[in-house]
Every structure is written in C-alpha cells, then in structure tokens.
Amino acid sequence: MKFIGAHIFDYDATFRGDVTIEGNLTISNSVSQTISFGDNDILYFGDDNDLQIKHSCSEANITNNTGQLTFVQNVNDNDIVFKSDNGSGGTTAYITLDGSESYVKFNKDAVFVDDEKAKFGTGLDLEIYHD
C-alpha cells in the first residue's frame, strides 16, 4: 500500500480501484459522473452529520437529526407528488401537493386508525374520529 500526500492546487487527480480518503475532502464545481454507494453506506450532510441518506438491501431512508426538514418546489404551478407501487408493477400517485390549485390532493383513500382524528378549521373545532 502506498500513501500519497501532496499540496497541489488547480490540478486534476484520477484514482482507479478502491480508494480510501481520510481527513477532510472538499469537492468544488460539479461532479459529472455517477457516484455509487454500496448497500448500508450512508451519505452524510452537515458538520454533525445532521442529514443522512442510506439505502440497504430492503429499504431507503432519509433521516434528519436537527431542525425542520423542508421540501421546496420552486417551479411555478408545479406539484410535489408522492408515488408508490401498489403491487401492480408500476407506480401511482398517492398524495399530490398541487402548486397550481393550491391544495393537497389525496389520490387514494386516507385511513385514520382507531381513536385518531381528522381535524378541520383554524381552531381545530371540527373533529371526525372513530373508536
């Protein structure tokens, strides 16, 4: 195993094979190639690893460990759509945050389990629930 140490500025480096980088890595500009992570590898963001993206063999997780997690759609009159495979082999929209109509659209039934309430009104003065 050889160790390489250098202070080189404004030059490209190419690594082939397995590479381990210890210490701080700063990537500027953009990455124009695909970056692949193995199962159970975690991609961390933030000084304290506050946001994590992980994929295992059976599920994927986005974990936020501080503050609010916000999804932003900056395109005028466009939506944020949550889709899932319903067993038919394709995906279908379940919930749509409709930017052009300014409402939330449930494309499938919403199920509230026993004793949980659907609340309506600014004062939450209408409740629908079942026990």
Side-chain angles (χ1 to χ4, degrees), residues 64-102:
N64 181 41
N65 292 311
T66 186
Q68 175 174 291
L69 179 62
T70 303
F71 295 89
V72 177
Q73 166 60 285
N74 283 322
V75 180
N76 287 341
D77 295 332
N78 268 275
D79 306 334
I80 297 175
V81 180
F82 293 89
K83 293 183 176 185
S84 185
D85 185 339
N86 64 0
S88 66
T91 59
T92 186
Y94 278 69
I95 300 171
T96 301
L97 307 179
D98 193 315
S100 60
E101 298 294 330
S102 299

PDB file of all heavy atoms in Angstrom, residues 64-102:
ATOM      1  N   ASN A  64     -33.330  13.117   9.208  1.00  0.00           N
ATOM      2  CA  ASN A  64     -32.937  14.453   9.621  1.00  0.00           C
ATOM      3  C   ASN A  64     -32.831  14.467  11.136  1.00  0.00           C
ATOM      4  O   ASN A  64     -33.763  14.091  11.828  1.00  0.00           O
ATOM      5  CB  ASN A  64     -33.966  15.480   9.151  1.00  0.00           C
ATOM      6  CG  ASN A  64     -33.566  16.885   9.538  1.00  0.00           C
ATOM      7  OD1 ASN A  64     -32.408  17.249   9.452  1.00  0.00           O
ATOM      8  ND2 ASN A  64     -34.525  17.676   9.968  1.00  0.00           N
ATOM      9  N   ASN A  65     -31.684  14.901  11.659  1.00  0.00           N
ATOM     10  CA  ASN A  65     -31.456  14.878  13.092  1.00  0.00           C
ATOM     11  C   ASN A  65     -31.448  16.255  13.738  1.00  0.00           C
ATOM     12  O   ASN A  65     -31.071  16.383  14.905  1.00  0.00           O
ATOM     13  CB  ASN A  65     -30.124  14.172  13.391  1.00  0.00           C
ATOM     14  CG  ASN A  65     -30.203  12.705  13.057  1.00  0.00           C
ATOM     15  OD1 ASN A  65     -31.119  12.016  13.443  1.00  0.00           O
ATOM     16  ND2 ASN A  65     -29.236  12.225  12.295  1.00  0.00           N
ATOM     17  N   THR A  66     -31.829  17.276  13.009  1.00  0.00           N
ATOM     18  CA  THR A  66     -31.876  18.606  13.606  1.00  0.00           C
ATOM     19  C   THR A  66     -32.844  19.483  12.831  1.00  0.00           C
ATOM     20  O   THR A  66     -32.987  19.357  11.628  1.00  0.00           O
ATOM     21  CB  THR A  66     -30.474  19.262  13.633  1.00  0.00           C
ATOM     22  OG1 THR A  66     -30.549  20.493  14.339  1.00  0.00           O
ATOM     23  CG2 THR A  66     -29.954  19.518  12.251  1.00  0.00           C
ATOM     24  N   GLY A  67     -33.536  20.349  13.527  1.00  0.00           N
ATOM     25  CA  GLY A  67     -34.399  21.336  12.868  1.00  0.00           C
ATOM     26  C   GLY A  67     -35.493  20.726  12.012  1.00  0.00           C
ATOM     27  O   GLY A  67     -35.853  19.570  12.138  1.00  0.00           O
ATOM     28  N   GLN A  68     -36.012  21.528  11.144  1.00  0.00           N
ATOM     29  CA  GLN A  68     -37.129  21.182  10.276  1.00  0.00           C
ATOM     30  C   GLN A  68     -36.617  20.600   8.972  1.00  0.00           C
ATOM     31  O   GLN A  68     -35.615  21.053   8.436  1.00  0.00           O
ATOM     32  CB  GLN A  68     -37.905  22.479  10.027  1.00  0.00           C
ATOM     33  CG  GLN A  68     -39.026  22.388   9.062  1.00  0.00           C
ATOM     34  CD  GLN A  68     -39.795  23.700   9.039  1.00  0.00           C
ATOM     35  OE1 GLN A  68     -40.453  24.043   9.997  1.00  0.00           O
ATOM     36  NE2 GLN A  68     -39.677  24.426   7.954  1.00  0.00           N
ATOM     37  N   LEU A  69     -37.291  19.599   8.445  1.00  0.00           N
ATOM     38  CA  LEU A  69     -36.996  19.044   7.125  1.00  0.00           C
ATOM     39  C   LEU A  69     -38.002  19.651   6.155  1.00  0.00           C
ATOM     40  O   LEU A  69     -39.206  19.491   6.319  1.00  0.00           O
ATOM     41  CB  LEU A  69     -37.116  17.525   7.141  1.00  0.00           C
ATOM     42  CG  LEU A  69     -36.864  16.798   5.828  1.00  0.00           C
ATOM     43  CD1 LEU A  69     -35.441  17.039   5.344  1.00  0.00           C
ATOM     44  CD2 LEU A  69     -37.133  15.312   5.995  1.00  0.00           C
ATOM     45  N   THR A  70     -37.521  20.373   5.168  1.00  0.00           N
ATOM     46  CA  THR A  70     -38.389  21.110   4.255  1.00  0.00           C
ATOM     47  C   THR A  70     -38.167  20.639   2.823  1.00  0.00           C
ATOM     48  O   THR A  70     -37.028  20.504   2.382  1.00  0.00           O
ATOM     49  CB  THR A  70     -38.079  22.625   4.329  1.00  0.00           C
ATOM     50  OG1 THR A  70     -38.246  23.059   5.683  1.00  0.00           O
ATOM     51  CG2 THR A  70     -38.983  23.421   3.421  1.00  0.00           C
ATOM     52  N   PHE A  71     -39.241  20.386   2.112  1.00  0.00           N
ATOM     53  CA  PHE A  71     -39.188  20.091   0.690  1.00  0.00           C
ATOM     54  C   PHE A  71     -39.684  21.338  -0.033  1.00  0.00           C
ATOM     55  O   PHE A  71     -40.754  21.851   0.282  1.00  0.00           O
ATOM     56  CB  PHE A  71     -40.097  18.911   0.326  1.00  0.00           C
ATOM     57  CG  PHE A  71     -39.642  17.620   0.941  1.00  0.00           C
ATOM     58  CD1 PHE A  71     -40.090  17.244   2.200  1.00  0.00           C
ATOM     59  CD2 PHE A  71     -38.768  16.787   0.273  1.00  0.00           C
ATOM     60  CE1 PHE A  71     -39.671  16.071   2.783  1.00  0.00           C
ATOM     61  CE2 PHE A  71     -38.338  15.601   0.837  1.00  0.00           C
ATOM     62  CZ  PHE A  71     -38.798  15.239   2.098  1.00  0.00           C
ATOM     63  N   VAL A  72     -38.928  21.830  -0.998  1.00  0.00           N
ATOM     64  CA  VAL A  72     -39.275  23.067  -1.691  1.00  0.00           C
ATOM     65  C   VAL A  72     -39.402  22.788  -3.182  1.00  0.00           C
ATOM     66  O   VAL A  72     -38.508  22.213  -3.796  1.00  0.00           O
ATOM     67  CB  VAL A  72     -38.205  24.156  -1.447  1.00  0.00           C
ATOM     68  CG1 VAL A  72     -38.537  25.422  -2.223  1.00  0.00           C
ATOM     69  CG2 VAL A  72     -38.071  24.456   0.034  1.00  0.00           C
ATOM     70  N   GLN A  73     -40.507  23.218  -3.757  1.00  0.00           N
ATOM     71  CA  GLN A  73     -40.715  23.161  -5.205  1.00  0.00           C
ATOM     72  C   GLN A  73     -40.698  24.602  -5.693  1.00  0.00           C
ATOM     73  O   GLN A  73     -41.593  25.374  -5.377  1.00  0.00           O
ATOM     74  CB  GLN A  73     -42.052  22.480  -5.497  1.00  0.00           C
ATOM     75  CG  GLN A  73     -42.596  22.628  -6.904  1.00  0.00           C
ATOM     76  CD  GLN A  73     -41.696  22.066  -7.974  1.00  0.00           C
ATOM     77  OE1 GLN A  73     -40.686  22.672  -8.304  1.00  0.00           O
ATOM     78  NE2 GLN A  73     -42.059  20.931  -8.508  1.00  0.00           N
ATOM     79  N   ASN A  74     -39.669  24.985  -6.425  1.00  0.00           N
ATOM     80  CA  ASN A  74     -39.525  26.371  -6.876  1.00  0.00           C
ATOM     81  C   ASN A  74     -40.093  26.646  -8.264  1.00  0.00           C
ATOM     82  O   ASN A  74     -40.051  27.773  -8.723  1.00  0.00           O
ATOM     83  CB  ASN A  74     -38.048  26.779  -6.868  1.00  0.00           C
ATOM     84  CG  ASN A  74     -37.546  27.075  -5.478  1.00  0.00           C
ATOM     85  OD1 ASN A  74     -38.256  27.652  -4.662  1.00  0.00           O
ATOM     86  ND2 ASN A  74     -36.332  26.674  -5.183  1.00  0.00           N
ATOM     87  N   VAL A  75     -40.626  25.639  -8.932  1.00  0.00           N
ATOM     88  CA  VAL A  75     -41.164  25.826 -10.271  1.00  0.00           C
ATOM     89  C   VAL A  75     -42.619  26.275 -10.158  1.00  0.00           C
ATOM     90  O   VAL A  75     -43.432  25.618  -9.499  1.00  0.00           O
ATOM     91  CB  VAL A  75     -41.058  24.526 -11.096  1.00  0.00           C
ATOM     92  CG1 VAL A  75     -41.612  24.723 -12.488  1.00  0.00           C
ATOM     93  CG2 VAL A  75     -39.606  24.059 -11.153  1.00  0.00           C
ATOM     94  N   ASN A  76     -42.964  27.385 -10.786  1.00  0.00           N
ATOM     95  CA  ASN A  76     -44.322  27.927 -10.718  1.00  0.00           C
ATOM     96  C   ASN A  76     -45.347  26.899 -11.180  1.00  0.00           C
ATOM     97  O   ASN A  76     -45.163  26.228 -12.199  1.00  0.00           O
ATOM     98  CB  ASN A  76     -44.459  29.178 -11.590  1.00  0.00           C
ATOM     99  CG  ASN A  76     -43.761  30.371 -10.989  1.00  0.00           C
ATOM    100  OD1 ASN A  76     -43.469  30.407  -9.797  1.00  0.00           O
ATOM    101  ND2 ASN A  76     -43.477  31.362 -11.819  1.00  0.00           N
ATOM    102  N   ASP A  77     -46.456  26.822 -10.436  1.00  0.00           N
ATOM    103  CA  ASP A  77     -47.604  25.990 -10.791  1.00  0.00           C
ATOM    104  C   ASP A  77     -47.250  24.519 -10.988  1.00  0.00           C
ATOM    105  O   ASP A  77     -47.846  23.842 -11.821  1.00  0.00           O
ATOM    106  CB  ASP A  77     -48.300  26.529 -12.054  1.00  0.00           C
ATOM    107  CG  ASP A  77     -48.907  27.892 -11.826  1.00  0.00           C
ATOM    108  OD1 ASP A  77     -49.265  28.189 -10.673  1.00  0.00           O
ATOM    109  OD2 ASP A  77     -49.022  28.663 -12.785  1.00  0.00           O
ATOM    110  N   ASN A  78     -46.290  24.018 -10.228  1.00  0.00           N
ATOM    111  CA  ASN A  78     -45.940  22.599 -10.312  1.00  0.00           C
ATOM    112  C   ASN A  78     -46.154  21.936  -8.968  1.00  0.00           C
ATOM    113  O   ASN A  78     -46.372  22.588  -7.951  1.00  0.00           O
ATOM    114  CB  ASN A  78     -44.508  22.410 -10.808  1.00  0.00           C
ATOM    115  CG  ASN A  78     -44.477  22.256 -12.312  1.00  0.00           C
ATOM    116  OD1 ASN A  78     -44.657  21.169 -12.822  1.00  0.00           O
ATOM    117  ND2 ASN A  78     -44.273  23.365 -13.016  1.00  0.00           N
ATOM    118  N   ASP A  79     -46.084  20.629  -8.946  1.00  0.00           N
ATOM    119  CA  ASP A  79     -46.506  19.835  -7.812  1.00  0.00           C
ATOM    120  C   ASP A  79     -45.333  19.111  -7.154  1.00  0.00           C
ATOM    121  O   ASP A  79     -44.265  18.956  -7.748  1.00  0.00           O
ATOM    122  CB  ASP A  79     -47.520  18.781  -8.259  1.00  0.00           C
ATOM    123  CG  ASP A  79     -48.694  19.377  -9.011  1.00  0.00           C
ATOM    124  OD1 ASP A  79     -49.000  20.562  -8.791  1.00  0.00           O
ATOM    125  OD2 ASP A  79     -49.310  18.654  -9.818  1.00  0.00           O
ATOM    126  N   ILE A  80     -45.575  18.629  -5.948  1.00  0.00           N
ATOM    127  CA  ILE A  80     -44.743  17.621  -5.313  1.00  0.00           C
ATOM    128  C   ILE A  80     -45.635  16.391  -5.214  1.00  0.00           C
ATOM    129  O   ILE A  80     -46.735  16.455  -4.660  1.00  0.00           O
ATOM    130  CB  ILE A  80     -44.257  18.062  -3.926  1.00  0.00           C
ATOM    131  CG1 ILE A  80     -43.360  19.298  -4.053  1.00  0.00           C
ATOM    132  CG2 ILE A  80     -43.516  16.918  -3.228  1.00  0.00           C
ATOM    133  CD1 ILE A  80     -42.927  19.888  -2.718  1.00  0.00           C
ATOM    134  N   VAL A  81     -45.182  15.283  -5.777  1.00  0.00           N
ATOM    135  CA  VAL A  81     -46.011  14.084  -5.871  1.00  0.00           C
ATOM    136  C   VAL A  81     -45.338  12.939  -5.118  1.00  0.00           C
ATOM    137  O   VAL A  81     -44.153  12.679  -5.317  1.00  0.00           O
ATOM    138  CB  VAL A  81     -46.233  13.684  -7.346  1.00  0.00           C
ATOM    139  CG1 VAL A  81     -47.100  12.441  -7.454  1.00  0.00           C
ATOM    140  CG2 VAL A  81     -46.839  14.840  -8.138  1.00  0.00           C
ATOM    141  N   PHE A  82     -46.094  12.285  -4.254  1.00  0.00           N
ATOM    142  CA  PHE A  82     -45.620  11.098  -3.553  1.00  0.00           C
ATOM    143  C   PHE A  82     -46.233   9.881  -4.244  1.00  0.00           C
ATOM    144  O   PHE A  82     -47.453   9.737  -4.277  1.00  0.00           O
ATOM    145  CB  PHE A  82     -46.037  11.144  -2.079  1.00  0.00           C
ATOM    146  CG  PHE A  82     -45.349  12.244  -1.315  1.00  0.00           C
ATOM    147  CD1 PHE A  82     -45.905  13.505  -1.253  1.00  0.00           C
ATOM    148  CD2 PHE A  82     -44.141  12.019  -0.682  1.00  0.00           C
ATOM    149  CE1 PHE A  82     -45.288  14.530  -0.559  1.00  0.00           C
ATOM    150  CE2 PHE A  82     -43.501  13.031   0.011  1.00  0.00           C
ATOM    151  CZ  PHE A  82     -44.072  14.294   0.079  1.00  0.00           C
ATOM    152  N   LYS A  83     -45.383   9.041  -4.799  1.00  0.00           N
ATOM    153  CA  LYS A  83     -45.836   7.868  -5.543  1.00  0.00           C
ATOM    154  C   LYS A  83     -45.343   6.593  -4.870  1.00  0.00           C
ATOM    155  O   LYS A  83     -44.321   6.591  -4.189  1.00  0.00           O
ATOM    156  CB  LYS A  83     -45.287   7.890  -6.973  1.00  0.00           C
ATOM    157  CG  LYS A  83     -45.833   8.996  -7.831  1.00  0.00           C
ATOM    158  CD  LYS A  83     -45.275   8.878  -9.242  1.00  0.00           C
ATOM    159  CE  LYS A  83     -45.879   9.914 -10.165  1.00  0.00           C
ATOM    160  NZ  LYS A  83     -45.426   9.723 -11.544  1.00  0.00           N
ATOM    161  N   SER A  84     -46.076   5.517  -5.105  1.00  0.00           N
ATOM    162  CA  SER A  84     -45.688   4.216  -4.598  1.00  0.00           C
ATOM    163  C   SER A  84     -46.218   3.145  -5.539  1.00  0.00           C
ATOM    164  O   SER A  84     -47.193   3.367  -6.256  1.00  0.00           O
ATOM    165  CB  SER A  84     -46.252   4.013  -3.189  1.00  0.00           C
ATOM    166  OG  SER A  84     -45.788   2.806  -2.639  1.00  0.00           O
ATOM    167  N   ASP A  85     -45.576   1.988  -5.515  1.00  0.00           N
ATOM    168  CA  ASP A  85     -46.053   0.841  -6.285  1.00  0.00           C
ATOM    169  C   ASP A  85     -47.147   0.166  -5.478  1.00  0.00           C
ATOM    170  O   ASP A  85     -46.954  -0.191  -4.326  1.00  0.00           O
ATOM    171  CB  ASP A  85     -44.902  -0.132  -6.534  1.00  0.00           C
ATOM    172  CG  ASP A  85     -45.292  -1.294  -7.434  1.00  0.00           C
ATOM    173  OD1 ASP A  85     -46.494  -1.592  -7.561  1.00  0.00           O
ATOM    174  OD2 ASP A  85     -44.388  -1.904  -8.012  1.00  0.00           O
ATOM    175  N   ASN A  86     -48.302   0.010  -6.070  1.00  0.00           N
ATOM    176  CA  ASN A  86     -49.432  -0.598  -5.366  1.00  0.00           C
ATOM    177  C   ASN A  86     -49.524  -2.106  -5.605  1.00  0.00           C
ATOM    178  O   ASN A  86     -50.551  -2.706  -5.377  1.00  0.00           O
ATOM    179  CB  ASN A  86     -50.744   0.078  -5.760  1.00  0.00           C
ATOM    180  CG  ASN A  86     -51.070  -0.114  -7.230  1.00  0.00           C
ATOM    181  OD1 ASN A  86     -50.318  -0.747  -7.972  1.00  0.00           O
ATOM    182  ND2 ASN A  86     -52.184   0.435  -7.652  1.00  0.00           N
ATOM    183  N   GLY A  87     -48.448  -2.702  -6.080  1.00  0.00           N
ATOM    184  CA  GLY A  87     -48.442  -4.138  -6.331  1.00  0.00           C
ATOM    185  C   GLY A  87     -48.700  -4.494  -7.780  1.00  0.00           C
ATOM    186  O   GLY A  87     -48.591  -5.648  -8.162  1.00  0.00           O
ATOM    187  N   SER A  88     -49.018  -3.512  -8.600  1.00  0.00           N
ATOM    188  CA  SER A  88     -49.323  -3.788  -9.998  1.00  0.00           C
ATOM    189  C   SER A  88     -48.073  -3.746 -10.886  1.00  0.00           C
ATOM    190  O   SER A  88     -48.155  -4.001 -12.070  1.00  0.00           O
ATOM    191  CB  SER A  88     -50.346  -2.777 -10.525  1.00  0.00           C
ATOM    192  OG  SER A  88     -49.769  -1.484 -10.552  1.00  0.00           O
ATOM    193  N   GLY A  89     -46.943  -3.385 -10.303  1.00  0.00           N
ATOM    194  CA  GLY A  89     -45.717  -3.320 -11.083  1.00  0.00           C
ATOM    195  C   GLY A  89     -45.368  -1.933 -11.568  1.00  0.00           C
ATOM    196  O   GLY A  89     -44.322  -1.720 -12.158  1.00  0.00           O
ATOM    197  N   GLY A  90     -46.223  -0.964 -11.323  1.00  0.00           N
ATOM    198  CA  GLY A  90     -45.954   0.420 -11.696  1.00  0.00           C
ATOM    199  C   GLY A  90     -46.240   1.324 -10.511  1.00  0.00           C
ATOM    200  O   GLY A  90     -46.775   0.891  -9.503  1.00  0.00           O
ATOM    201  N   THR A  91     -45.875   2.576 -10.622  1.00  0.00           N
ATOM    202  CA  THR A  91     -46.140   3.500  -9.525  1.00  0.00           C
ATOM    203  C   THR A  91     -47.379   4.332  -9.818  1.00  0.00           C
ATOM    204  O   THR A  91     -47.721   4.578 -10.972  1.00  0.00           O
ATOM    205  CB  THR A  91     -44.954   4.444  -9.279  1.00  0.00           C
ATOM    206  OG1 THR A  91     -44.683   5.185 -10.465  1.00  0.00           O
ATOM    207  CG2 THR A  91     -43.718   3.666  -8.863  1.00  0.00           C
ATOM    208  N   THR A  92     -48.038   4.735  -8.755  1.00  0.00           N
ATOM    209  CA  THR A  92     -49.207   5.600  -8.872  1.00  0.00           C
ATOM    210  C   THR A  92     -49.108   6.684  -7.805  1.00  0.00           C
ATOM    211  O   THR A  92     -48.521   6.466  -6.752  1.00  0.00           O
ATOM    212  CB  THR A  92     -50.519   4.786  -8.721  1.00  0.00           C
ATOM    213  OG1 THR A  92     -51.630   5.631  -8.983  1.00  0.00           O
ATOM    214  CG2 THR A  92     -50.653   4.169  -7.345  1.00  0.00           C
ATOM    215  N   ALA A  93     -49.665   7.848  -8.090  1.00  0.00           N
ATOM    216  CA  ALA A  93     -49.637   8.964  -7.132  1.00  0.00           C
ATOM    217  C   ALA A  93     -50.593   8.682  -5.984  1.00  0.00           C
ATOM    218  O   ALA A  93     -51.740   8.300  -6.203  1.00  0.00           O
ATOM    219  CB  ALA A  93     -50.015  10.259  -7.831  1.00  0.00           C
ATOM    220  N   TYR A  94     -50.129   8.854  -4.768  1.00  0.00           N
ATOM    221  CA  TYR A  94     -50.964   8.706  -3.587  1.00  0.00           C
ATOM    222  C   TYR A  94     -51.329  10.067  -3.009  1.00  0.00           C
ATOM    223  O   TYR A  94     -52.462  10.300  -2.646  1.00  0.00           O
ATOM    224  CB  TYR A  94     -50.254   7.857  -2.527  1.00  0.00           C
ATOM    225  CG  TYR A  94     -50.407   6.381  -2.789  1.00  0.00           C
ATOM    226  CD1 TYR A  94     -49.786   5.778  -3.872  1.00  0.00           C
ATOM    227  CD2 TYR A  94     -51.187   5.601  -1.965  1.00  0.00           C
ATOM    228  CE1 TYR A  94     -49.936   4.426  -4.124  1.00  0.00           C
ATOM    229  CE2 TYR A  94     -51.345   4.243  -2.203  1.00  0.00           C
ATOM    230  CZ  TYR A  94     -50.715   3.661  -3.293  1.00  0.00           C
ATOM    231  OH  TYR A  94     -50.869   2.334  -3.541  1.00  0.00           O
ATOM    232  N   ILE A  95     -50.334  10.962  -2.913  1.00  0.00           N
ATOM    233  CA  ILE A  95     -50.577  12.306  -2.392  1.00  0.00           C
ATOM    234  C   ILE A  95     -49.909  13.302  -3.336  1.00  0.00           C
ATOM    235  O   ILE A  95     -48.762  13.117  -3.734  1.00  0.00           O
ATOM    236  CB  ILE A  95     -49.995  12.494  -0.976  1.00  0.00           C
ATOM    237  CG1 ILE A  95     -50.633  11.502   0.000  1.00  0.00           C
ATOM    238  CG2 ILE A  95     -50.207  13.926  -0.487  1.00  0.00           C
ATOM    239  CD1 ILE A  95     -49.961  11.487   1.362  1.00  0.00           C
ATOM    240  N   THR A  96     -50.628  14.357  -3.691  1.00  0.00           N
ATOM    241  CA  THR A  96     -50.087  15.410  -4.537  1.00  0.00           C
ATOM    242  C   THR A  96     -50.257  16.744  -3.831  1.00  0.00           C
ATOM    243  O   THR A  96     -51.369  17.096  -3.417  1.00  0.00           O
ATOM    244  CB  THR A  96     -50.819  15.455  -5.899  1.00  0.00           C
ATOM    245  OG1 THR A  96     -50.679  14.183  -6.543  1.00  0.00           O
ATOM    246  CG2 THR A  96     -50.265  16.547  -6.795  1.00  0.00           C
ATOM    247  N   LEU A  97     -49.164  17.468  -3.673  1.00  0.00           N
ATOM    248  CA  LEU A  97     -49.227  18.844  -3.197  1.00  0.00           C
ATOM    249  C   LEU A  97     -49.321  19.690  -4.460  1.00  0.00           C
ATOM    250  O   LEU A  97     -48.341  19.867  -5.171  1.00  0.00           O
ATOM    251  CB  LEU A  97     -47.987  19.193  -2.376  1.00  0.00           C
ATOM    252  CG  LEU A  97     -47.650  18.236  -1.227  1.00  0.00           C
ATOM    253  CD1 LEU A  97     -46.389  18.690  -0.503  1.00  0.00           C
ATOM    254  CD2 LEU A  97     -48.805  18.094  -0.267  1.00  0.00           C
ATOM    255  N   ASP A  98     -50.511  20.138  -4.770  1.00  0.00           N
ATOM    256  CA  ASP A  98     -50.809  20.767  -6.055  1.00  0.00           C
ATOM    257  C   ASP A  98     -50.486  22.254  -6.018  1.00  0.00           C
ATOM    258  O   ASP A  98     -51.204  23.050  -5.418  1.00  0.00           O
ATOM    259  CB  ASP A  98     -52.280  20.541  -6.393  1.00  0.00           C
ATOM    260  CG  ASP A  98     -52.603  20.881  -7.837  1.00  0.00           C
ATOM    261  OD1 ASP A  98     -52.143  21.934  -8.316  1.00  0.00           O
ATOM    262  OD2 ASP A  98     -53.300  20.079  -8.481  1.00  0.00           O
ATOM    263  N   GLY A  99     -49.398  22.643  -6.673  1.00  0.00           N
ATOM    264  CA  GLY A  99     -48.949  24.029  -6.677  1.00  0.00           C
ATOM    265  C   GLY A  99     -49.814  24.945  -7.518  1.00  0.00           C
ATOM    266  O   GLY A  99     -49.932  26.129  -7.225  1.00  0.00           O
ATOM    267  N   SER A 100     -50.439  24.428  -8.560  1.00  0.00           N
ATOM    268  CA  SER A 100     -51.252  25.296  -9.413  1.00  0.00           C
ATOM    269  C   SER A 100     -52.643  25.533  -8.823  1.00  0.00           C
ATOM    270  O   SER A 100     -53.235  26.588  -9.014  1.00  0.00           O
ATOM    271  CB  SER A 100     -51.368  24.716 -10.823  1.00  0.00           C
ATOM    272  OG  SER A 100     -51.985  23.439 -10.788  1.00  0.00           O
ATOM    273  N   GLU A 101     -53.178  24.574  -8.088  1.00  0.00           N
ATOM    274  CA  GLU A 101     -54.509  24.709  -7.491  1.00  0.00           C
ATOM    275  C   GLU A 101     -54.443  25.084  -6.011  1.00  0.00           C
ATOM    276  O   GLU A 101     -55.466  25.370  -5.399  1.00  0.00           O
ATOM    277  CB  GLU A 101     -55.294  23.398  -7.646  1.00  0.00           C
ATOM    278  CG  GLU A 101     -55.535  22.995  -9.077  1.00  0.00           C
ATOM    279  CD  GLU A 101     -56.444  23.963  -9.821  1.00  0.00           C
ATOM    280  OE1 GLU A 101     -57.314  24.597  -9.181  1.00  0.00           O
ATOM    281  OE2 GLU A 101     -56.291  24.087 -11.041  1.00  0.00           O
ATOM    282  N   SER A 102     -53.261  25.028  -5.412  1.00  0.00           N
ATOM    283  CA  SER A 102     -53.032  25.373  -4.004  1.00  0.00           C
ATOM    284  C   SER A 102     -53.814  24.500  -3.037  1.00  0.00           C
ATOM    285  O   SER A 102     -54.461  24.987  -2.114  1.00  0.00           O
ATOM    286  CB  SER A 102     -53.345  26.852  -3.748  1.00  0.00           C
ATOM    287  OG  SER A 102     -52.500  27.658  -4.525  1.00  0.00           O
TER     288      SER A 102
END
